[in-house]
Amino acid sequence: MDFKTDFKPLTIEPDKIYDYSFSIIKEEMGAHDFSEEEWMVVRRIIHASADFELGRSVMFNGDAIQAGINAIRKGRHVIVDVQMIESGTGKKRFQKYGGDLHCYISDEDVMKEAKRQNTTRAIISMQKAVRENEGGIYAIGNAPTALLELIRLIKEGIAKPDLIIGMPVGFVSAAESKEELAKLKDIPFITNVGRKGGSTVTVAALNAISILADQVK
Amino acid sequence: MDFKTDFKPLTIEPDKIYDYSFSIIKEEMGAHDFSEEEWMVVRRIIHASADFELGRSVMFNGDAIQAGINAIRKGRHVIVDVQMIESGTGKKRFQKYGGDLHCYISDEDVMKEAKRQNTTRAIISMQKAVRENEGGIYAIGNAPTALLELIRLIKEGIAKPDLIIGMPVGFVSAAESKEELAKLKDIPFITNVGRKGGSTVTVAALNAISILADQVK
């Protein structure tokens, strides 16, 4: 086989790869009801998943994007449920406003307490997050139990996030945790319907909002 | 709204969450042609994506799982294309045999060289990986250009991985890069057909194989 006759990528110029991707996504998506700014988030979720069904299932509540932008600009912190989201998210766009990313799930005190209670580290890490942060953006892409615990803390009046990005993935409680989130009419949130989600799409949403924080007036 | 009447998760006991998930996946998957060991990998990919279509599209070549197990047990290194995969993968199961995880994409020399050539850091990071490692497991879940470059290095006789897990996601070159991988009949690989893939499913495959390395005779 002669390599020279094989597939050559359309481009290897980094900036152009994004541009091409977004133009393909726009064309294949066709009609939708997302606002212009919502679409900036949704197209990144589709870009990260290659899944239009997932993209179409995304829901926004309570002027979620503006709430996220405001929180970033105020230097509010971003709390994520797992390290994959932490490592995939561009931190600089938060840090320049004074905020930072926090992931408590592997903290020693969290691990110890979860073991003691025979519960998930995700639950204990949310309790710690709410103790240690005022408001903040909560981006949960993996653990339904983290999202359910955060919802419980909100209902009990203990937590008041600026924005929740709630897109855990999976077969046990993931879809249900998002249904519970969707009932919180007073909290700005971004979520999706169904079992799909995950760290990569949560990162995509978080990055999209932090980019908008730099661009939108 | 009374919280007590709302949804309660089926379980919050960490071990049971996996067990429940796998039993749901098995039931909903129904008939398939995967071997017992292949299924250990595929069910984790489905678990990470909640996507049976993606699970069904997974392909194995050249006794891929056994090749991966052998490489792990020989202490061969694992090379990943992005930090999200590095942070999501359980390192201890590789380190106990003497191997480790490497991600070169944010190395200073890699970034500098990519900028100089106006190419992707992914491409340059694969060149570095091949220079620095004998064999090894290459797990690529994000950058099609990384996978295409690795394929080029194999065809030129410069690289000879023990196993490739090639599941990049996206709209520009992702599906095509996997088609190119599928032509390498002499290299053990795990890949999937189409645009879907990503860091989380690549982590799932890598974790599944490292778990099998501890269990299989």
Side-chain angles (χ1 to χ4, degrees), chain B residues 103-118:
Chain B
C103 177
Y104 298 104
I105 199 157
S106 291
D107 288 6
E108 210 161 310
D109 54 343
V110 169
M111 292 200 283
K112 214 178 267 183
E113 185 60 19
K115 204 161 187 182
R116 201 184 65 78
Q117 295 188 24
N118 194 27

Side-chain angles (χ1 to χ4, degrees), chain A residues 1 3 6-7 9-14 17 20-21 24-25 28 46-52 83-85 87-88 118-120 123 145 148 152 155 169-173 176-177 180 183 195-196 199-200 203, chain B residues 1 3 6-7 9-14 17 20-21 24-25 28 46-52 83-85 87-88 118-120 123 145 148 152 155 169-173 176-177 180 183 195-196 199-200 203:
Chain A
M1 186 190 314
F3 181 64
D6 275 337
F7 169 76
L10 194 58
T11 177
I12 56 166
E13 290 181 49
I17 292 176
Y20 276 117
S21 298
I24 295 167
I25 292 167
E28 292 190 24
I46 296 170
H47 178 256
S49 61
D51 193 334
F52 288 93
Q83 266 128 3
M84 278 189 81
I85 298 176
S87 77
N118 193 27
T119 187
T120 69
I123 288 176
T145 56
L148 288 167
R152 186 185 72 79
K155 289 183 175 176
V169 60
F171 293 86
V172 174
S173 313
E176 296 85 347
S177 71
E180 290 304 305
K183 294 180 192 166
R195 289 165 166 176
K196 289 179 180 176
S199 297
T200 50
V203 165
Chain B
M1 186 191 312
F3 181 65
D6 276 337
F7 169 77
L10 195 58
T11 177
I12 54 166
E13 291 181 49
I17 292 176
Y20 277 116
S21 298
I24 295 167
I25 292 168
E28 293 190 23
I46 296 170
H47 179 256
S49 61
D51 193 335
F52 288 93
Q83 266 129 1
M84 277 189 80
I85 299 176
S87 77
N118 194 27
T119 187
T120 70
I123 288 177
T145 57
L148 288 167
R152 186 185 73 79
K155 289 183 175 175
V169 59
F171 293 85
V172 174
S173 314
E176 295 86 346
S177 71
E180 290 303 305
K183 294 179 191 167
R195 289 166 165 175
K196 288 179 180 176
S199 296
T200 50
V203 165

Side-chain angles (χ1 to χ4, degrees), chain A residues 73-141:
Chain A
R73 289 178 179 169
K74 271 194 282 189
R76 291 287 175 90
H77 291 278
V78 179
I79 295 95
V80 301
D81 64 333
V82 290
Q83 266 128 3
M84 278 189 81
I85 298 176
E86 189 181 18
S87 77
T89 305
K91 292 173 186 62
K92 282 181 194 166
R93 279 189 298 263
F94 302 102
Q95 289 167 338
K96 65 187 267 196
Y97 297 103
D100 210 344
L101 252 69
H102 300 283
C103 177
Y104 300 103
I105 200 157
S106 291
D107 289 5
E108 211 161 309
D109 54 342
V110 169
M111 293 201 282
K112 212 178 266 183
E113 185 59 21
K115 203 162 188 182
R116 201 185 63 80
Q117 295 189 24
N118 193 27
T119 187
T120 69
R121 295 189 284 149
I123 288 176
I124 306 297
S125 75
M126 285 297 118
Q127 295 169 358
K128 182 171 180 178
V130 167
R131 274 198 311 274
E132 302 218 339
N133 296 280
E134 193 198 335
I137 297 174
Y138 283 72
I140 299 171

